[in-house]
Amino acid sequence: MAHRDPALPHPSQLDCRVNSFAAVTSGQRKAANLWFFDSPKNKARFTIRSDIVFMQCVLLEGLVDVVRYVPHPPAVSVTEECRSIDISADIYSYQSDGTANWLELVAGDRIHGGGSNCSRGKNAAATKQMRYINRARREIEAQGILFDNWLNLCAHINRCKNLIIHKELDFIVERSKFGSVTVRSLLSDSEDPAKMLSAIALSLHRGLTATDLDRRLWGYDSLLEWTGA
Amino acid sequence: MSAPGPRRLIPLALQDLAEWPSPDSSVLDERLRTLYEKRRRAVSMYAIGRPFDEIRKESGLGEDEVQRLVKRCLILHADGSIHGFRALIPNYRVRQYTRHSAVSGNLDGTGYVGALDQLFQKLPQIRDLVHQLFYGTKKGNVLPEIAKPISVIHSRFKKELRLLGYTDYDWPFNTRHSGYQALWSYCRSLRNNDAQNAAYDRCGIEASRRGHVGKGIAPLLPNIRPFSHVQLDFHKVDAASIIVLRNDHGVELEIPVQRWHVGLLVDEYTGAILGAHVALEKTPSADSVLEVLDNALRPEDFGSADPRRGLTQQANVLLRQLIPELKYQCFASLKVDNAWGNAANEVVNNLMDTVGCAVNFGPVRAWWRRRLIEQIFQSLTQHGLQRLPSTFGAGPGDDRITCPNKSAIKFRILLSDLIKVIFTCIQKHNIEPNEGLEWASPVQCNEAALKNPCSGHIHQPLPKITQQGLWLTMHVEEVTVRGNINRNDRPYFVTDRCRYTNDVLAQSFWLFGKTLVIYVDRRHCRIVYATVKETGMRLGLMIPEARWRNSDCSWRDRKLFNRSGLSTRHTDIFEDPAELLAQEKITALLNRPKSRKVKSSSVALSLAKLNRIAPSTNAPSNLDQKPTPQKAEVEQNREQVGDPFGLTSVPPIKSVRRTDR
């Protein structure tokens, strides 16, 4: 039987592989939810604990002004009443204008400025010159459509991350410069739907094009518009 | 006329009556509703500062009564807020009854209301004891007991009271049942007020885990389109089956097979079964997980003899077969449990590198995270395997169980028969309407979603180059090139005690000592590709040494062979070790001692699995054969083919085969 050489990855592309077995079977994760996620923004494979942090990470992928983020960063020591307390953020995010954010995600409703945990977080963020942001579960839940769209778009990007798709990307940019174009029409002109979907997702990811991802499910009828970026 | 005074009774924070909890008065009967509305009007007028004369004229309630009602409304409720307008319902209790007077019963046995609470206030150590006994809390060196009956708690309660000097004239000993009913009611209220705590201590760990289900909180992750989230799980097959061997005398022996597993991949939104794999293993391995995933992606057709065509011999069972446009269809996330097979590094990493999805491992023992797939397994089992005579039923107490292994032998239920039943049920699940989808079938839902552009369901196949050589089932490792230039030993490498080389590597003496990254096909260990780690130079397909060159042995099974030492000691250079191992197992089964109890065999399961990889006539050629034809037919067949002694008559082989790729 003849064997074709499969599309094997370059050895350097294997460096992002994680030790999932150790993470899952570790005795320390009795109740935690574990997500393994390839972040196109960071070009890294993350191990994320909890659904809410995972959702927030996927939402950060959709923010063009966020250049990178770090889930579950190391704890920071804060002195309070003559004793040292370790506080950790859920995510650090870094914007293109240099702003660094300390994100704290709460399972319940927003903490309205009060609470000892909130103030500790603010103090810890201040020691690292970061802006303190806390988000409640309800706010993240309200962005369910946006999250689902970006989850699917990230999957499109990751599927072709080892392939060359600059032709498809250039095609999309050129078509969208002339006016809005639907996903369906772009796919109809492509030989490989996977590469075209990946290029469309990348154009949205990089802010070259835009479409309504907040209220509509991304699909064939999504209208891409050139942003001029 | 009394002038409106300052409304001191209502604090500033509660001035807005719209925030007060209020009942649904439409459910009250007319009399109660009239009275409630009158009272509400009075309290509302009080809150806005109307004079009491006006309030009396409107509602008929005087100043004292209005103030009493307002105070009732402001009493704190157990849920943390105030009672609010709920307190205005006639006979509504705002406080728990607390007895203040001494306990003195009547001749008719009444008059002891609140006696237990009074006793607990007087003797808090008795209350603590009751709590400790009810919740099974460990205290000191006393061994905690779980789920103590109330009667036992009552006995201990009485004993402690006696030690404290309580006599027959004191409550509870002066009542008919010594306060048993009061204690029982108290314990019931403990359970109602703290059901989760009570569930763990009185009903067991599974009951306490169920407390996570139905909390009234919507799940955080949205499930709003097909192929956003898929679930994968394995299920132990709930029926016994056999394999059939023939010994040297031509006698057929039916060997019950140890229970095996079936794995499914299911779309969370439509419930469609995307992939299925029969794992002939005691515990599903990483290979089995990858097989389920590969089965969902790759458009494999079931051959005419494949039992996966089911009882109806239909080729369209899985979603990608029923909707061919969905071949190679990918998904955005996969949810699995914490089984070791799922957590294997190559499962997670290969899947993410191929499909690009995220992978979720739910909290430990949180089956409700994959409720859909558990429901599907239950349905498949109830409608399929548990209806067979060789069923293991729902558990040891199931009346349907009557010696499953014996039934499997009696009714000649072969392993392939069970596979047919399972896949028939899978097909039925995919094409039949179900209530969960508003009486549409999973296939119909997918077809409708594909036609509806607002559904978000699109064709998202793998890239074409990945489709050509799906490396989902590749094992990756690093090896070092060996050889010796002084002795003119050409370059090669060794992995799992097998030497590999090819014409490119054999000429590349500069690779001595260098590290190669090799990609081994987990299904066929003879298929290995190599790349130079340092430069990424591809060396192409490698050639293994002779004894593995024609073997369909898997990478994992070869490791098992090497562990058992078979391949090194007993094999001739051209013999397939897999076939030899299978032969050894057959011999072991035929020679196994006969026992009164019909036990299933793990060796038989291994043999059935080996039959997949070595289906030639040499090794397990007599597995899963059709029932022996009648003697006259056999004689006739022999004569017809010119074989009067039956030397060449071999029963037809029926086994699960993979098609060549």
Side-chain angles (χ1 to χ4, degrees):
Chain A
M1 184 181 72
H3 293 281
R4 288 188 211 164
D5 205 7
L8 299 171
H10 191 275
S12 63
Q13 290 159 349
L14 300 173
D15 292 339
C16 67
R17 289 163 85 93
V18 291
N19 189 344
S20 56
F21 187 79
V24 171
T25 57
S26 160
Q28 290 165 2
R29 66 155 298 243
K30 297 260 182 270
N33 234 324
L34 266 191
W35 284 91
F36 295 99
F37 171 61
D38 271 342
S39 164
K41 200 154 268 202
N42 295 277
K43 294 185 175 45
R45 186 163 288 175
F46 287 141
T47 304
I48 300 172
R49 301 184 293 274
S50 93
D51 285 344
I52 197 169
V53 176
F54 172 66
M55 276 187 80
Q56 182 60 62
C57 288
V58 173
L59 290 169
L60 286 173
E61 292 286 339
L63 294 175
V64 177
D65 59 342
V66 170
V67 293
R68 68 183 182 97
Y69 58 87
V70 180
H72 307 299
V76 169
S77 283
V78 170
T79 306
E80 189 178 285
E81 293 173 355
C82 303
R83 56 192 178 104
S84 178
I85 303 169
D86 286 339
I87 311 286
S88 51
D90 289 309
I91 305 172
Y92 289 165
S93 70
Y94 301 89
Q95 292 175 225
S96 52
D97 61 1
T99 311
N101 300 311
W102 173 295
L103 263 87
E104 206 165 271
L105 307 170
V106 294
D109 291 337
R110 178 188 283 277
I111 301 167
H112 290 282
S116 57
N117 285 339
C118 184
S119 60
R120 280 181 192 159
K122 279 183 186 167
N123 293 340
T127 62
K128 289 184 74 74
Q129 282 105 46
M130 286 180 150
R131 184 173 60 170
Y132 176 82
I133 300 172
N134 75 6
R135 297 198 76 196
R137 175 193 162 108
R138 203 191 292 171
E139 294 172 59
I140 297 173
E141 212 174 348
Q143 294 185 293
I145 292 178
L146 183 63
F147 161 77
D148 195 74
N149 283 333
W150 275 109
L151 182 67
N152 279 274
L153 288 168
C154 288
H156 293 320
I157 296 172
N158 291 329
R159 223 162 273 149
C160 299
K161 66 180 178 186
N162 297 331
L163 304 178
I164 298 168
I165 55 169
H166 65 83
K167 276 188 195 167
E168 285 82 3
L169 201 54
D170 290 341
F171 176 74
I172 292 164
V173 167
E174 287 308 313
R175 281 286 299 270
S176 59
K177 273 180 182 170
F178 284 107
S180 303
V181 59
T182 62
V183 170
R184 191 189 296 276
S185 66
L186 289 170
L187 286 172
S188 65
D189 292 327
S190 73
E191 291 173 0
D192 191 341
K195 287 170 96 171
M196 182 54 75
L197 284 170
S198 181
I200 295 172
L202 259 183
S203 72
L204 290 165
H205 193 251
R206 291 178 185 174
L208 300 171
T209 57
T211 187
D212 182 8
L213 295 173
D214 289 292
R215 291 165 301 179
R216 292 178 58 123
L217 288 177
W218 131 269
Y220 287 127
D221 277 7
S222 292
L223 210 59
L224 293 180
E225 288 171 352
W226 170 246
T227 59
Chain B
M1 180 175 157
S2 52
R7 298 302 189 230
R8 297 187 296 268
L9 290 179
I10 302 178
L12 202 62
L14 297 170
Q15 291 281 326
D16 184 7
L17 264 59
E19 297 284 322
W20 285 21
S22 62
D24 181 5
S25 59
S26 61
V27 304
L28 300 172
D29 68 35
E30 197 175 328
R31 185 187 70 83
L32 290 177
R33 188 167 60 246
T34 310
L35 190 53
Y36 164 77
E37 283 168 2
K38 194 166 64 173
R39 289 176 174 184
R40 184 169 175 150
R41 206 174 316 125
V43 169
S44 303
M45 288 174 75
Y46 171 85
I48 60 173
R50 305 311 301 162
F52 284 113
D53 290 343
E54 203 177 310
I55 295 172
R56 188 199 302 276
K57 205 183 279 184
E58 274 287 326
S59 64
L61 299 173
E63 184 177 338
D64 290 341
E65 178 66 6
V66 172
Q67 289 181 348
R68 185 187 77 87
L69 290 173
V70 170
K71 285 177 188 171
R72 275 177 66 88
C73 291
L74 296 172
I75 292 172
L76 275 180
H77 191 275
D79 63 9
S81 63
I82 55 171
H83 280 274
F85 292 118
R86 293 179 284 192
L88 299 179
I89 298 175
N91 304 320
Y92 178 91
R93 197 179 277 282
V94 294
R95 281 197 188 93
Q96 202 176 0
Y97 172 75
T98 306
R99 189 185 188 95
H100 296 290
S101 59
V103 174
S104 59
N106 302 322
L107 288 172
D108 59 358
T110 58
Y112 295 115
V113 175
L116 182 64
D117 282 334
Q118 200 178 54
L119 180 82
F120 282 157
Q121 278 175 22
K122 192 174 155 193
L123 302 169
Q125 69 270 30
I126 297 293
R127 184 187 55 216
D128 292 343
L129 172 72
V130 167
H131 283 221
Q132 182 196 327
L133 293 171
F134 182 77
Y135 288 119
T137 331
K138 187 177 174 190
K139 197 174 177 182
N141 292 327
V142 177
L143 193 69
E145 281 180 54
I146 294 180
K148 263 202 171 86
I150 305 297
S151 55
V152 170
I153 298 175
H154 183 239
S155 301
R156 188 68 193 278
F157 168 74
K158 286 190 298 184
K159 183 180 163 191
E160 290 299 317
L161 288 176
R162 288 291 191 197
L163 289 173
L164 288 170
Y166 274 62
T167 66
D168 288 349
Y169 298 102
D170 300 313
W171 192 90
F173 297 106
N174 59 353
T175 59
R176 189 187 302 175
H177 300 295
S178 301
Y180 178 84
Q181 194 165 349
L183 188 67
W184 183 88
S185 297
Y186 182 77
C187 291
R188 190 176 62 171
S189 72
L190 282 183
R191 177 182 275 194
N192 289 341
N193 293 339
D194 191 2
Q196 294 315 306
N197 202 7
Y200 179 77
D201 295 303
R202 297 198 63 78
C203 307
I205 193 164
E206 281 304 319
S208 73
R209 285 200 188 112
R210 227 167 270 123
H212 292 280
V213 182
K215 285 196 290 189
I217 301 172
L220 185 62
L221 293 166
N223 180 20
I224 49 181
R225 87 174 91 197
F227 287 88
S228 259
H229 304 282
V230 299
Q231 299 176 8
L232 185 149
D233 204 354
F234 284 84
H235 183 71
K236 206 174 219 180
V237 168
D238 286 328
S241 57
I242 60 169
I243 57 171
V244 179
L245 298 180
R246 187 181 284 178
N247 65 10
D248 294 337
H249 304 286
V251 176
E252 286 178 347
L253 300 176
E254 294 105 349
I255 316 279
V257 174
Q258 200 169 45
R259 286 171 78 177
W260 38 278
H261 292 79
V262 61
L264 294 184
L265 185 73
V266 169
D267 168 46
E268 209 169 83
Y269 186 74
T270 60
I273 297 177
L274 312 175
H277 173 69
V278 169
L280 296 177
E281 295 165 321
K282 277 190 292 186
T283 309
S285 62
D287 284 338
S288 297
V289 178
L290 291 170
E291 288 293 345
V292 177
L293 294 165
D294 187 77
N295 184 258
L297 292 169
R298 189 190 295 278
E300 178 198 2
D301 291 323
F302 299 151
S304 55
D306 195 329
R308 290 178 295 174
R309 289 176 79 110
L311 297 169
T312 55
Q313 282 291 302
Q314 297 264 345
N316 302 333
V317 175
L318 302 170
L319 187 73
R320 55 166 172 78
Q321 292 166 327
L322 293 160
I323 305 177
E325 295 89 344
L326 292 180
K327 62 181 181 183
Y328 295 112
Q329 177 79 350
C330 298
F331 38 87
S333 85
L334 171 71
K335 292 180 182 171
V336 291
D337 63 19
N338 295 280
W340 284 16
N342 297 332
N345 290 344
E346 274 173 4
V347 169
V348 173
N349 288 296
N350 285 9
L351 177 67
M352 292 178 76
D353 289 337
T354 306
V355 175
C357 65
V359 181
N360 169 248
F361 289 85
V364 177
R365 295 190 189 277
W367 53 266
W368 54 89
R369 290 276 294 193
R370 295 169 310 283
R371 183 198 293 264
L372 171 67
I373 200 168
E374 301 290 344
Q375 282 173 344
I376 290 174
F377 276 131
Q378 190 179 25
S379 172
L380 290 184
T381 307
Q382 281 172 354
H383 293 110
L385 298 169
Q386 282 183 356
R387 293 165 64 186
L388 292 175
S390 65
T391 178
F392 285 99
D398 193 330
D399 292 335
R400 288 173 291 185
I401 304 173
T402 48
C403 306
N405 286 334
K406 279 188 184 168
S407 298
I409 292 170
K410 179 181 172 186
F411 295 103
R412 199 107 171 172
I413 296 175
L414 302 176
L415 199 142
S416 55
D417 293 331
L418 289 193
I419 295 172
K420 282 180 192 169
V421 168
I422 290 169
F423 276 78
T424 305
C425 292
I426 289 173
Q427 188 203 36
K428 202 173 154 192
H429 171 88
N430 275 341
I431 62 176
E432 278 192 357
N434 71 69
E435 191 176 354
L437 296 173
E438 297 176 17
W439 302 112
S441 70
V443 167
Q444 286 173 326
C445 284
N446 269 282
E447 284 170 343
L450 282 169
K451 286 179 190 158
N452 177 12
C454 298
S455 69
H457 189 17
I458 59 174
H459 291 122
Q460 40 177 335
L462 286 170
K464 288 209 164 108
I465 193 168
T466 311
Q467 291 176 22
Q468 286 163 11
L470 197 63
W471 77 288
L472 187 65
T473 51
M474 284 286 189
H475 163 72
V476 182
E477 67 178 83
E478 290 181 4
V479 295
T480 307
V481 177
R482 300 188 193 184
N484 191 318
I485 196 159
N486 295 324
R487 293 203 329 233
N488 202 22
D489 280 344
R490 288 184 178 275
Y492 65 95
F493 63 86
V494 174
T495 179
D496 288 334
R497 304 178 73 90
C498 176
R499 184 187 281 226
Y500 291 86
T501 188
N502 70 357
D503 53 349
V504 176
L505 179 60
Q507 308 291 340
S508 306
F509 289 89
W510 60 277
L511 285 175
F512 280 136
K514 297 282 185 189
T515 302
L516 302 182
V517 176
I518 62 167
Y519 305 87
V520 184
D521 188 340
R522 295 177 74 106
R523 288 168 173 158
H524 306 104
C525 58
R526 58 185 161 83
I527 300 175
V528 175
Y529 292 87
T531 305
V532 180
K533 184 175 179 180
E534 205 173 9
T535 60
M537 174 185 162
R538 294 180 193 267
L539 300 175
L541 180 66
M542 294 288 135
I543 301 172
E545 55 187 75
R547 63 198 158 110
W548 295 107
R549 209 166 290 163
N550 296 312
S551 174
D552 280 340
C553 182
S554 73
W555 169 78
R556 187 162 162 264
D557 284 335
R558 185 172 66 180
K559 281 193 174 299
L560 294 173
F561 298 156
N562 290 335
R563 211 175 289 160
S564 70
L566 181 73
S567 61
T568 53
R569 284 206 303 275
H570 301 297
T571 57
D572 189 17
I573 192 163
F574 293 110
E575 287 182 281
D576 185 352
E579 292 184 7
L580 286 167
L581 182 66
Q583 201 58 51
E584 197 179 89
K585 287 190 185 295
I586 291 172
T587 310
L589 281 174
L590 291 174
N591 293 331
R592 75 172 187 169
K594 203 172 175 180
S595 66
R596 203 174 284 175
K597 196 175 174 187
V598 181
K599 285 187 186 173
S600 59
S601 166
S602 60
V603 175
L605 184 65
S606 304
L607 186 59
K609 191 182 173 193
L610 279 171
N611 189 45
R612 283 180 170 187
I613 57 170
S616 63
T617 52
N618 279 346
S621 61
N622 43 11
L623 287 184
D624 273 7
Q625 48 185 316
K626 277 184 179 167
T628 320
Q630 295 297 321
K631 198 173 177 185
E633 282 180 30
V634 172
E635 300 283 337
Q636 191 181 359
N637 287 342
R638 283 180 190 157
E639 285 168 10
Q640 280 174 355
V641 300
D643 178 24
F645 296 102
L647 295 174
T648 58
S649 64
V650 176
I653 299 164
K654 291 289 176 192
S655 61
V656 177
R657 287 174 183 248
R658 280 198 209 89
T659 55
D660 285 337
R661 293 187 186 86

